[in-house]
Amino acid sequence: MEFLRYKGTRGRYRLGVRTPEGLYDLAACYSRYREMGLRAIPGIAVAFAQGSLRTLLARPGVGDFLAAVRLSGAHCRSAALREDTVALGAPLHDPGRFIGIGLNYRCHAREVGQSIPVEPPLFAKWANAISGPQDEIMLPMNSQAIDYEVELGVVMGQRASRVSVNDALDYVFGYTVINDVSARDIQFRTSQWLAGKIGDGFAPMGPGVVERDDIGPSQGLTLETWVNGELRQHGHTSDMIYDVPALVSYLSHLVTLEPGDVIATGTPAGVGMSRKPPRYLHPGDIVRMRIAGVGTIENRFCAPR
């Protein structure tokens, strides 16, 4: 299944779910779930009111509800949504942690002249950076070197503390597409990358979060980026230096990961700064990113206002 946030009739974002049978409002599915006499889930109304996948995943017992939707999605037909009328937001807008991984593809490390890191380089993004899969992204006034990076996003489904590599995937809920927008001229002013990563709108995400089991091995995915129709990035997660289980295990030994936390797992070769000359984004550019099996996002970049 794929979990989405969409704009409801009153302008508030609601949670939706896409199953093989169709696209449904998740709160309405829950109402049907309760009508069938199944056990109530404490606090789930708060998740629906907030339109928060993070809050939903943190509810004890939510797995039973999601399993029921997965097995009998037809019972939600009264909650069906028309695809052509749904405006999507970022599927997860309020992560407790948004952790970025640098230099995690061998081909990208080579193109920027860096050696293979002995441990994953880490940086952070914040919730202000998150934007929707079709949102317009405003270029900042203080940078002339805005770059694109297609990345596989990992969304945690369970609390993870000091988990082993072998067990790490059990704690992952699903995957999404992330554009790790980066202001290169700001990023490299110091040895810390944070300043170039945290701009407003610097993390378009979506279109949804696809459950882990629907994707299969995360190391067999193709990632692509087009800028104005020109293919700029074409890579494979098999080129990762640290794969998803290794990253989840490593991070869980540094900090307790919580449901709804997001990990951006690095980008393959083809970024703008590695071109000769560099090719950064300008007003009017349209960036389209696709990860096979996960989805496609497309954002237009506009001049600062």
Side-chain angles (χ1 to χ4, degrees), residues 173-194:
F173 177 71
Y175 302 106
T176 191
V177 183
I178 295 174
N179 182 356
D180 175 20
V181 180
S182 304
R184 300 300 192 190
D185 45 359
I186 299 174
Q187 177 182 349
F188 297 120
R189 286 177 184 169
T190 72
S191 61
Q192 302 297 315
W193 295 354
L194 184 69

Side-chain angles (χ1 to χ4, degrees), residues 25-103:
D25 179 84
L26 200 57
C29 289
Y30 180 70
S31 295
R32 175 58 178 159
Y33 173 85
R34 292 288 291 128
E35 290 169 2
M36 295 167 63
L38 298 171
R39 183 170 61 89
I41 300 171
I44 198 170
V46 175
F48 293 141
Q50 296 175 343
S52 172
L53 181 59
R54 172 195 178 191
T55 303
L56 181 78
L57 293 176
R59 295 301 90 202
V62 73
D64 293 339
F65 165 53
L66 298 184
V69 175
R70 189 180 304 112
L71 292 174
S72 56
H75 291 302
C76 296
R77 283 177 181 164
S78 61
L81 302 170
R82 286 180 51 188
E83 294 268 3
D84 59 348
T85 64
V86 171
L88 297 180
L92 198 152
H93 69 295
D94 57 350
R97 298 170 187 82
F98 192 143
I99 303 170
I101 310 296
L103 298 173

Side-chain angles (χ1 to χ4, degrees), residues 5-25:
R5 284 175 69 246
Y6 74 96
K7 189 170 290 188
T9 55
R10 297 184 179 179
R12 292 185 177 180
Y13 281 101
R14 298 178 62 86
L15 294 177
V17 60
R18 182 180 283 114
T19 76
E21 288 79 22
L23 178 63
Y24 306 108
D25 179 84

Side-chain angles (χ1 to χ4, degrees), residues 2 4 18 88-89 91 132-135 150 175-179 204-208 210 222 224-226 286-299:
E2 181 181 13
L4 311 160
R18 182 180 283 114
L88 297 180
Q134 300 159 349
D135 286 355
V150 61
Y175 302 106
T176 191
V177 183
I178 295 174
N179 182 356
M205 179 190 299
V210 180
T222 301
E224 296 170 298
T225 297
W226 294 264
I286 296 174
V287 178
R288 182 172 183 260
M289 295 182 165
R290 179 167 67 98
I291 300 179
V294 181
T296 301
I297 64 175
E298 183 173 293
N299 301 94

Side-chain angles (χ1 to χ4, degrees), residues 15 49 54 69 84 94 96 99 116 129 147 160 170 187 198 214 223 245 251 261 276 285 287 303:
L15 294 177
R54 172 195 178 191
V69 175
D84 59 348
D94 57 350
I99 303 170
I116 301 299
D147 210 346
D170 294 339
Q187 177 182 349
I198 59 175
D214 290 344
L223 305 86
L251 292 170
D261 284 355
K276 300 188 184 304
D285 285 347
V287 178

